[in-house]
Amino acid sequence: MTDDNKIKVGIVGIGPVGMILAVKLVEAGCEVALCDKDEFKLKKIREEGIVLQNVYTSVTRFDRVYDSVNDMSHMDLDYLVFALKSYHTPSAVREAEILKSEKLTVIAAQNGIEVEELLIPTFGESKTLRMIINYAGNMVSPNTVRVSFFTPPNYLGSVDDNRTKQSQLFSDKLNSIGFTTENVDSFQLVKRAWEKTILNASLSALCGVGRLTMAEAMADADTCELVEQIINEGIEVAEKEKIRFPDDFLRKCLRYLKAGGDHFPSLAVDIINNRKTEIDYFNGKIVEYGKKHYVKTSLNLAFTNMVKAMTNKNVISRMPGVTGEMNKKIINKGIVDKNKSNLFYKESNCFLGIDLGSAYTKFSVIDETGTPLFRYILQTVNKDRQAMKSVIQAINSFFNIKYSCATGYGRKHFTDTDIIKTEINCAAAGASEYFSGAKNIIDIGGEDIKVIQCDNENHVANFYMNDKCAAGTGAFLSEISERAGINDGDMSSLAAHSEYDKELNSFCAVFAKTEIMNWVFDGMPTSDIARGIYISIANKVAKMKMAHNLPIYMIGGVIAYHPFLSNILSVKFGREIKIIDQPQFIVSYGAATIARQNWAPIPQFAKQIRV
């Protein structure tokens, strides 16, 4: 630690658990850095801090708020806390591997059985702590948590007792400000994990299915009887694992649950919002261990399967009314192979890439082999948020989406995907799936021109963009062709019949429109005007840096509708320029590819539980 004993803590995942813990650590005198992928949430926290309400009332400012774990690398952290959903943890762990050091201790601040196993393969058992959370809250706004309850203590321990000093120090810090956290050994840690999971399993799924708060669920005698039976199943399975609870454990569980108050458990919130859930680590683990010991867990099994059925996104054929018909139209329009059965898509692991461009939003779905399954394009400028939601709903209803990635201009304001990446990286990833190795990629988009250079390993070695002016881009092309009275779809065929070799003198849209009108008034053939516009754009692209002796490929919406532009550029560069298949979707396809690369199945039974 530092000489002044100021512990440095990074927290990955800023939901209610992460926010509350972050505030308490700051109160305890720790130096805290935050990391999340939600740019809007990060902006609010940077501007206004984290606000706690109800049980705790405070406003806490943070200087270190990042959208990448890599940004914490300069801090030489003592602790790195993972306070995010289990299904988001594998990709976060891969990103955080760069922070590994001898001093770093990682903490799984997540409820459920065996969630620490998600950290151990990367950081090692000896450096991993587990925190059992006994506080909760619901998000009121992106930077505000209504703290529902804290039923002390929290529990913290080293999973193999190798870092008991680090566990004790972290606990002491929280205890110093009254946030009671008991340091326990590895055997007690396992017991406490089962204890809390049994509590979560008893009510979380039920609240989600019934749309009930904890207080509402526990106020009904029939529901309480159901909860009691779910708890008894968990106790019976735990005892087979040599985990013993006191005789009054059931009574204490019911008392704990009744104290939960007007709170929706996290898993219930996910069910209500039709998001992925962590049911496999709650009721699902009780079922899993029940099967191991031949113990019937009928109610836990029922709720596990019920939650999976409710959040199963492959139900397009059963969605009633207008929504179902809309979904079918979207899928039928975008599906690549209409001969495959619905069952194929439901049983395949699929990955979604969304390219939120300045003019159009493109969607691509691929399978584990990288085969395109679905492509869809939606106009961005219409600002119809419902249209976007309808496409995403249709995709989630038909495909078994395991992981997703957003890119493009609008990516930072889009929170419905697992990760976000720059369009530079996505363009390189998409093009490299078709043509591997060192290459130049020209991407003419709605408002910019990019030249991307990849090395032999398909990594981005360098990239260049045109200046801030939109000259030579899709927007410029649309405005000029419209002024000339030429339809976008006809320009390539018209230009192919011309031998005109003059370009526009001006790239300013205002002056270029005037010049185009002069061409029209002078009686210039439409084919010559089309070719002249293309020559102007080609000259703009030709001025950008291009790696010599490397193949050149073109992608983007402009080349999709104006393929003759590649012929003119081939003459400019003195070599063949290839247009990649479905060029308008290459960036969204690359985003889907990156989603596939970042996804890892959550281990269902990584190792035997320690007793």
Side-chain angles (χ1 to χ4, degrees):
M1 306 303 165
T2 55
D3 293 338
D4 59 1
N5 207 32
K6 196 174 184 67
I7 298 173
K8 297 179 181 179
V9 184
I11 299 180
V12 183
I14 320 177
V17 168
M19 284 191 182
I20 296 168
L21 183 59
V23 168
K24 293 303 171 185
L25 286 168
V26 169
E27 290 177 5
C30 298
E31 187 175 327
V32 179
L34 306 176
C35 179
D36 200 274
K37 296 299 183 183
D38 187 334
E39 283 289 339
F40 184 67
K41 178 188 291 187
L42 298 179
K43 183 175 183 291
K44 291 283 285 184
I45 293 174
R46 290 184 185 114
E47 293 174 351
E48 303 172 11
I50 291 178
V51 182
L52 301 186
Q53 299 176 349
N54 196 33
V55 173
Y56 298 111
T57 304
S58 64
V59 178
T60 307
R61 302 283 182 171
F62 291 83
D63 295 326
R64 294 175 173 82
V65 183
Y66 306 120
D67 61 3
S68 171
V69 179
N70 291 345
D71 293 334
M72 298 181 184
S73 58
H74 68 284
M75 292 183 62
D76 192 25
L77 294 173
D78 299 300
Y79 297 90
L80 183 63
V81 180
F82 290 85
L84 66 175
K85 301 289 186 182
S86 57
Y87 47 80
H88 286 149
T89 304
S91 60
V93 167
R94 283 193 291 273
E95 187 179 342
E97 189 172 5
I98 192 174
L99 303 183
K100 283 175 64 175
S101 67
E102 187 56 38
K103 68 178 287 191
L104 182 68
T105 300
V106 294
I107 303 175
Q110 305 152 300
N111 286 324
I113 293 172
E114 295 181 348
V115 292
E116 69 275 9
E117 300 293 347
L118 298 170
L119 308 185
I120 289 172
T122 298
F123 297 101
E125 195 171 54
S126 64
K127 296 180 181 179
T128 304
L129 309 185
R130 170 75 193 276
M131 188 173 187
I132 310 301
I133 306 297
N134 279 317
Y135 61 86
N138 291 130
M139 299 300 299
V140 176
S141 73
N143 67 318
T144 304
V145 179
R146 183 183 183 276
V147 184
S148 306
F149 64 87
F150 174 39
T151 307
N154 300 308
Y155 297 99
L156 184 69
S158 170
V159 298
D160 68 353
D161 295 318
N162 265 299
R163 295 225 163 179
T164 55
K165 289 182 179 179
Q166 287 85 349
S167 178
Q168 185 65 63
L169 178 59
F170 199 89
S171 301
D172 288 345
K173 282 292 181 183
L174 294 175
N175 288 326
S176 70
I177 45 95
F179 199 59
T180 310
T181 302
E182 185 178 328
N183 185 51
V184 297
D185 62 30
S186 59
F187 301 102
Q188 275 293 311
L189 191 63
V190 171
K191 180 178 179 179
R192 296 304 181 183
W194 271 85
E195 177 181 279
K196 185 60 190 295
T197 301
I198 289 171
L199 283 165
N200 284 332
S202 68
L203 205 55
S204 294
L206 191 152
C207 286
V209 172
R211 270 51 175 176
L212 302 170
T213 65
M214 292 177 70
E216 289 169 339
M218 296 305 295
D220 184 88
D222 293 334
T223 304
C224 280
E225 184 178 357
L226 191 59
V227 169
E228 189 173 329
Q229 292 303 314
I230 296 172
I231 293 172
N232 279 327
E233 286 184 1
I235 292 172
E236 186 177 357
V237 173
E239 287 179 345
K240 292 293 184 181
E241 283 290 307
K242 311 301 182 186
I243 297 169
R244 303 282 184 247
F245 296 114
D247 293 339
D248 62 349
F249 177 66
L250 175 59
R251 188 179 298 108
K252 287 183 176 179
C253 285
L254 295 173
R255 184 185 303 163
Y256 179 100
L257 295 170
K258 287 178 180 178
D262 189 26
H263 171 71
F264 281 106
S266 175
L267 187 139
V269 173
D270 289 338
I271 295 172
I272 293 168
N273 288 289
N274 196 33
R275 295 195 294 253
K276 294 178 184 177
T277 73
E278 298 176 286
I279 194 70
D280 284 329
Y281 280 87
F282 291 174
N283 304 74
K285 279 294 179 183
I286 293 172
V287 172
E288 182 181 318
Y289 276 95
K291 290 178 180 178
K292 173 186 173 184
H293 296 292
Y294 302 98
V295 175
K296 285 187 177 181
T297 54
S298 302
L299 287 174
N300 280 279
L301 177 61
F303 274 105
T304 299
N305 291 343
M306 197 181 306
V307 169
K308 287 183 175 181
M310 290 181 69
T311 55
N312 179 3
K313 299 178 179 183
N314 305 310
V315 292
I316 187 171
S317 61
R318 294 184 279 114
M319 297 188 74
V322 176
T323 299
E325 289 303 312
M326 175 64 75
N327 286 354
K328 288 178 184 177
K329 287 180 181 178
I330 291 170
I331 294 300
N332 287 337
K333 182 179 178 181
I335 202 79
V336 174
D337 187 350
K338 293 181 171 60
N339 294 320
K340 284 187 169 64
S341 68
N342 288 3
L343 186 62
F344 169 82
Y345 299 111
K346 293 175 182 179
E347 293 182 345
S348 299
N349 292 329
C350 302
F351 306 90
L352 170 63
I354 305 177
D355 174 17
L356 296 105
S358 58
Y360 292 93
T361 296
K362 285 78 69 179
F363 304 82
S364 291
V365 177
I366 64 174
D367 63 16
E368 283 192 276
T369 68
T371 302
L373 305 177
F374 176 85
R375 301 185 187 98
Y376 198 86
I377 186 168
L378 185 70
Q379 194 171 11
T380 302
V381 293
N382 66 14
K383 298 181 181 179
D384 184 356
R385 295 185 65 84
Q386 187 55 47
M388 170 83 77
K389 290 179 180 178
S390 296
V391 176
I392 293 174
Q393 181 186 59
I395 291 171
N396 285 332
S397 297
F398 193 77
F399 297 97
N400 179 24
I401 301 296
K402 290 294 186 181
Y403 214 67
S404 55
C405 174
T407 189
Y409 283 101
R411 69 185 184 277
K412 292 185 177 181
H413 304 289
F414 190 75
T415 59
D416 291 343
T417 54
D418 295 296
I419 55 174
I420 59 172
K421 295 291 180 180
T422 68
E423 56 266 44
I424 300 293
N425 288 314
C426 291
S432 296
E433 287 292 299
Y434 286 87
F435 299 99
S436 185
K439 56 188 163 288
N440 296 292
I441 304 167
I442 301 174
D443 180 3
I444 305 180
E447 293 186 356
D448 64 21
I449 302 170
K450 307 180 192 73
V451 173
I452 305 164
Q453 295 170 6
C454 294
D455 60 22
N456 289 320
E457 303 300 321
N458 296 318
H459 299 140
V460 176
N462 219 330
F463 71 91
Y464 307 94
M465 296 180 67
N466 66 325
D467 52 34
K468 293 181 180 179
C469 177
T473 66
F476 174 84
L477 183 56
S478 294
E479 284 189 53
I480 300 304
S481 59
E482 182 181 1
R483 178 57 63 96
I486 304 174
N487 185 285
D488 274 1
D490 299 330
M491 277 193 70
S492 268
S493 58
L494 286 169
H497 292 91
S498 170
E499 295 183 357
Y500 191 70
D501 61 356
K502 298 289 180 65
E503 65 175 317
L504 291 167
N505 291 318
S506 175
F507 265 106
C508 172
V510 175
F511 295 118
K513 287 179 184 178
T514 302
E515 193 173 347
I516 283 291
M517 291 310 300
N518 289 333
W519 285 5
V520 173
F521 292 148
D522 289 342
M524 183 183 291
T526 306
S527 58
D528 289 349
I529 294 175
R531 186 181 176 93
I533 293 172
Y534 283 156
I535 291 172
S536 301
I537 294 172
N539 286 339
K540 181 77 172 179
V541 175
K543 292 176 182 178
M544 299 182 71
K545 291 184 179 181
M546 197 79 58
H548 297 296
N549 302 320
L550 292 182
I552 304 174
Y553 303 102
M554 292 195 74
I555 64 173
V558 169
I559 201 62
Y561 290 98
H562 303 275
F564 188 74
L565 184 56
S566 67
N567 294 37
I568 296 177
L569 281 169
S570 293
V571 173
K572 292 285 181 186
F573 287 109
R575 48 187 155 148
E576 182 185 11
I577 296 178
K578 294 181 180 178
I579 301 174
I580 298 179
D581 186 42
Q582 299 291 332
Q584 195 165 10
F585 292 96
I586 290 299
V587 175
S588 61
Y589 174 68
T593 299
I594 290 174
R596 183 192 67 185
Q597 293 167 349
N598 278 268
W599 177 75
I602 296 172
Q604 293 300 305
F605 200 79
K607 62 190 293 185
Q608 296 291 323
I609 194 158
R610 287 172 292 278
V611 295

